Amino acid sequence: MTDPTQALSFGAAAAEYDRFRPRYPEEALRWALHGLAAPARVVDLGAGTGILTRGVLALGLQVVPVEPDAGMRAQLAAATPGTTALAGSAEAVPLPDGSADAVLVGQAYHWFDRERAHVEIARVLRAGGTFAPIWNVRDERVGWVAELGRIALLGDNAGDVTEKYGDFGPAFEPVELGEFAHTATLTPDEVVGMLHTRSYWLTAPPDEQQRIDRQLRDLFATHPDLAGRETVELPYRTFVFRSRRR
């Protein structure tokens, strides 16, 4: 069951979310879009602060962001000139039937009521249109990254993502899975700042937030791969689940 408190916790940290969360590699977006070109229309569902929206705009496509959190919509507008997100959710998309060539979802699909969302997404897509949820997942095959996840109680590891999501319902063709690698260069303080945009930290009591911060700083001060470094390369695996509407 989705926790609505966590699902709508990000608006309070919208500026930090937009600053610290990783971008999506261009090759992952192109693969998700099945080679769509202008003037194709893409819906960014659960658009947040517009990180995915801006990635798709850079490919020359039209983008309609849809986001339920007012704080996130405000940050998207501030960071994405000329683009305004629509107020709406995956279960109630404020767009006409068959009006989208693709629907993408960045880091938000796990918050959806999936049975209801699949019906709405199929309604909004034209026949043959593409639905593609996308995740940036820390590469916990790297030792210190796994320790980072353990300290901050981060649940979105590769197994969680690849094992849970593989069927979009009867309106969609079988799902294809793509994987792409990339890294983000951050200072230790920026890594901590990024973790402060996570739903668990945002909704945790103060003593738990302090525990996480203390152990994270100890990790950066003592781990042999991190101690004394001004910046670190945080590795990500980007997973894309792609399917066409029947």
Side-chain angles (χ1 to χ4, degrees), residues 28-225:
L29 298 183
R30 291 190 181 280
W31 191 85
L33 291 164
H34 265 300
L36 282 176
R41 190 185 202 203
V42 179
V43 174
D44 180 3
L45 192 53
T49 64
I51 293 171
L52 178 57
T53 289
R54 293 190 293 276
V56 177
L57 285 171
L59 300 179
L61 304 180
Q62 301 177 54
V63 184
V64 181
V66 177
E67 167 57 39
D69 187 296
M72 300 293 262
R73 292 197 304 272
Q75 179 62 39
L76 185 151
T80 318
T83 302
T84 301
L86 302 179
S89 69
E91 300 79 19
V93 182
L95 292 169
D97 296 0
S99 58
D101 297 295
V103 174
L104 302 190
V105 183
Q107 307 294 130
Y109 180 67
H110 52 289
W111 298 117
F112 295 176
D113 178 335
R114 290 196 290 278
E115 186 172 342
R116 292 172 58 204
H118 292 158
V119 173
E120 268 293 85
I121 292 163
R123 180 187 66 77
V124 170
L125 278 170
R126 62 168 173 79
T130 297
F131 174 44
I134 305 172
W135 280 270
N136 280 318
V137 179
R138 297 166 315 284
D139 189 347
E140 293 193 344
R141 297 172 297 186
V142 177
W144 73 265
V145 181
E147 184 66 7
L148 186 80
R150 184 195 65 78
I151 290 169
L153 299 178
L154 304 174
D156 58 344
N157 58 45
D160 286 337
V161 171
T162 57
E163 293 170 12
K164 286 182 181 178
Y165 310 119
D167 182 2
F168 299 154
F172 292 91
E173 295 179 355
V175 176
E176 301 173 274
L177 174 62
E179 180 180 345
F180 307 85
H182 66 120
T183 61
T185 302
L186 302 167
T187 67
D189 283 345
E190 287 171 339
V191 175
V192 174
M194 182 269 291
L195 295 174
H196 284 185
T197 71
R198 303 287 306 203
S199 61
Y200 179 80
W201 193 93
L202 287 166
T203 58
D207 59 340
E208 175 66 356
Q209 292 178 338
Q210 292 165 14
R211 190 275 305 170
I212 291 171
D213 288 359
R214 182 175 62 254
Q215 292 187 13
L216 288 174
R217 296 193 186 283
D218 286 346
L219 174 69
F220 283 108
T222 63
H223 193 284
D225 292 336

